[in-house]
Amino acid sequence: MNFELKPLSLVEAASEKCDALLVLVSDAHKPAKDGFSALVARALKDGDAHSKAGKILALYKTPLSQATRVVIAGVGDGSAKQVRAGVAAALASVKSDKLKSLVVAFASPASEPALRAAVSAVADGSYSYTTTKSKPEARVLQTVLLATGNAAELKAVFERAVAVVAGVELAKEWANRPANHATPTLLGKAAQALAKHGKISCEVLGPKEVAKLGMGSFMAVAQGSDEPLRFIVLKYSGAAKSVAPTVLVGKGITFDSGGISIKPAAEMDEMKFDMCGAASVLGTFRTLAELKPAINVIGLIPSCENLLNGRAVKPGDVVTSMSGQTIEILNTDAEGRLVLCDALTYAERFKPRAVVDIATLTGACVVALGSVRSGMFSANVALAEALSTAGDVAQDLCWQMPLDDEYAEGLKTSFADVANVAGRAGGAISAAKFLQRFTDKYPWAHLDIAGSAWKSGAAKGATGRPVGLLVEYLLATANAPSSAK
Ligand code: BES
Ligand code: MN
Ligand code: ZN
């Protein structure tokens, strides 16, 4: 799919030949004098069209436009949220296998958030997963022209939004693939494929190398499966070697059965999404490859299956992590923190300016925040603020959760330095407290994306979150003084 941005007035946009023209009308819209604008104004005046977000009026082959279909779509106050809702509704109304070319015209000049929202809503609304279908219904939409009078001043925002789409779609692709089509080995190959882009290199470690590193916690999870583990190290080098990198760590459990502490059967298929953290790291690197910012970023992905065979780790087993800390594995279903802790220790070698881990870590986070906001944890005020702001800008929201030491009480045990689970109460926070023990050496944040990374039910599928947030955060670090994390 190819996006283009042009400085066109509404009437100019209406004279572009295309399969559909979406006219985005906000509350503040003031019509121009030409015939097409008059048509829109008349429809609004008569109440057939409305600027309220999500209201649409569809026309077919009006002589006033070269577009086959015209949809007048309300985008309310023109905010990102309402533009997203308006574009989604308009696109759904013309969802047609004939829709190859689309023009999205802002009736009044677009703001930066509005343009970003329109690009991402068009991508989301036309996305189609095909990899494991025998008769794939591939995305039909080929060209998308965004038309707004002030296009020149929006060029940079537009380019960033289009690059984020590429990253989000790579993340969706890998997250949506079933576990037998997205093994740790295949994830490693996907990461290696990213290294064909300039400035990116990739190294994939296997069981032998990981054993040599002493990642006893990660290995304990992997030992219950016949599928070999992979530890993926991605490097994006856009700045001088002397510039400290940001490290992203993505949970890459390609299937989480729970292990011996096995999960119930209902909806267990959704545990193929337990590598959405890893997918978001791959997606973010895809976007970096596109934008080539002057920063350094490391991506770490500990990837394995959480299954159960005769060698599987058992409740009560004690393992030694790479940090030297011993861990009593009371519940084999709390495996995410076990693979992440060794990756967090590995991250120390990069002397990072900050480390952000991204993980579908706890059902408790879904209970706390639902699917709207990712859980965000950090004891570093500047880092927390930077992530929160990035989420707002990208409309990929997160919400800061607490890290009081009292939440770690339940992790105490007589048989090791730490247990891998506490009680049910505050489960997302005790998981974060577990991870925090491995992050003394650098500013650290944790994103629990268990609720935000995919949708359940009829619209089951990955969302590509939080690629938008991560990209926005990383690009902001390019301009921030080194003290501000
Ligand atoms: N991958 C799951 C978390 C999860 C569960 C994400 C449901 C999305 C939906 C994680 O590995 C897990 O199983 N966590 C346990 C932890 C518990 C045993 C302390 C959980 O949340 O139940
Ligand atoms: Mn689990
Ligand atoms: Zn898991």
Side-chain angles (χ1 to χ4, degrees):
M1 190 173 41
N2 187 43
F3 285 95
E4 212 188 332
L5 176 70
K6 274 193 191 170
L8 300 180
S9 68
L10 187 52
V11 64
E12 287 167 333
S15 62
E16 293 279 327
K17 247 187 152 23
C18 62
D19 296 322
L21 164 68
L22 311 187
V23 180
L24 309 186
V25 187
S26 66
D27 299 334
H29 173 60
K30 291 201 183 59
K33 292 276 184 284
D34 62 86
F36 186 78
S37 298
L39 169 79
V40 174
R42 185 63 197 255
L44 287 164
K45 188 160 172 275
D46 291 349
D48 286 302
H50 206 287
S51 65
K52 199 169 166 225
K55 291 274 182 201
I56 50 168
L57 174 66
L59 318 169
Y60 191 69
K61 288 192 174 163
T62 160
L64 293 171
S65 171
Q66 291 291 309
T68 309
R69 304 157 189 86
V70 174
V71 183
I72 305 173
V75 292
D77 59 9
S79 64
K81 223 182 230 178
Q82 307 218 344
V83 167
R84 169 171 275 283
V87 171
L91 210 54
S93 79
V94 288
K95 212 167 190 189
S96 141
D97 50 1
K98 298 193 183 79
L99 205 67
K100 279 200 187 131
S101 56
L102 180 70
V103 175
V104 182
F106 288 85
S108 320
S111 66
E112 291 188 0
L115 183 70
R116 245 191 307 261
V119 169
S120 106
V122 168
D124 275 345
S126 61
Y127 174 82
S128 162
Y129 170 82
T130 58
T131 310
T132 44
K133 299 264 189 87
S134 70
K135 296 183 189 70
E137 286 170 32
R139 168 184 263 147
V140 181
L141 191 56
Q142 293 297 317
T143 63
V144 185
L145 170 61
L146 281 295
T148 179
N150 57 338
E153 66 198 55
L154 294 173
K155 192 167 174 281
V157 171
F158 173 74
E159 279 167 7
R160 189 181 291 195
V162 173
V164 167
V165 166
V168 162
E169 298 204 341
L170 185 75
K172 282 187 184 180
E173 168 65 22
W174 280 98
N176 282 333
R177 285 192 191 193
N180 64 331
H181 292 261
T183 59
T185 304
L186 288 168
L187 278 193
K189 291 198 169 133
Q192 262 154 349
L194 281 167
K196 73 175 192 292
H197 296 279
K199 300 185 198 279
I200 294 181
S201 65
C202 177
E203 199 186 345
V204 179
L205 311 186
K208 268 197 200 130
E209 291 103 324
V210 163
K212 214 163 157 204
L213 286 163
M215 294 186 166
S217 184
F218 177 23
M219 290 190 312
V221 178
Q223 76 191 34
S225 165
D226 294 345
E227 202 59 64
L229 66 77
R230 290 290 182 265
F231 188 78
I232 301 167
V233 184
L234 274 161
K235 288 188 185 153
Y236 170 80
S237 311
K241 273 209 175 92
S242 57
V243 176
T246 304
V247 178
L248 304 178
V249 180
K251 173 178 172 183
I253 299 295
T254 57
F255 189 76
D256 180 11
S257 72
I260 298 291
S261 314
I262 197 163
K263 289 181 180 294
E267 279 141 41
M268 204 207 268
D269 66 289
E270 294 195 8
M271 284 300 120
K272 72 172 183 176
F273 292 118
D274 213 16
M275 36 59 74
C276 280
S280 77
V281 173
L282 296 179
T284 299
F285 271 73
R286 177 74 188 82
T287 301
L288 292 175
E290 221 49 53
L291 295 174
K292 302 194 171 40
I295 53 174
N296 291 330
V297 185
I298 305 284
L300 302 178
I301 298 175
S303 181
C304 66
E305 293 183 331
N306 186 22
L307 283 185
L308 54 164
N309 60 20
R311 286 191 13 87
V313 72
K314 305 167 291 296
D317 283 2
V318 173
V319 299
T320 303
S321 66
M322 185 181 175
S323 74
Q325 296 179 70
T326 59
I327 303 166
E328 185 186 23
I329 301 177
L330 287 174
N331 189 321
T332 64
D333 198 10
E335 86 297 340
R337 61 198 80 180
L338 296 174
V339 306
L340 290 170
C341 70
D342 282 339
L344 289 170
T345 300
Y346 186 88
E348 289 172 3
R349 66 186 56 204
F350 301 106
K351 300 192 170 52
R353 53 175 297 290
V355 176
V356 181
D357 77 69
I358 310 103
T360 48
L361 202 63
T362 65
C365 191
V366 188
V367 175
L369 295 174
S371 62
V372 182
R373 287 179 186 257
S374 307
M376 184 263 285
F377 302 75
S378 184
N380 184 296
V381 177
L383 178 54
E385 200 169 291
L387 289 168
S388 179
T389 303
D392 290 348
V393 172
Q395 281 296 293
D396 184 353
L397 303 171
C398 65
W399 190 258
Q400 189 173 7
M401 305 278 279
L403 279 171
D404 303 277
D405 284 338
E406 288 80 355
Y407 285 109
E409 277 301 310
L411 296 172
K412 288 189 174 149
T413 165
S414 312
F415 301 105
D417 299 343
V418 65
N420 79 327
V421 287
R424 267 167 59 84
I429 311 169
S430 53
K433 289 304 286 183
F434 177 93
L435 295 177
Q436 192 179 29
R437 298 174 61 96
F438 301 85
T439 64
D440 298 341
K441 304 269 164 51
Y442 44 70
W444 162 77
H446 158 58
L447 292 169
D448 193 332
I449 58 166
S452 56
W454 78 88
K455 292 185 179 132
S456 306
K460 191 189 289 181
T463 60
R465 290 175 69 184
V467 170
L469 182 158
L470 293 171
V471 168
E472 202 56 47
Y473 162 68
L474 290 172
L475 294 181
T477 66
N479 313 316
S482 61
S483 60
K485 307 293 181 189

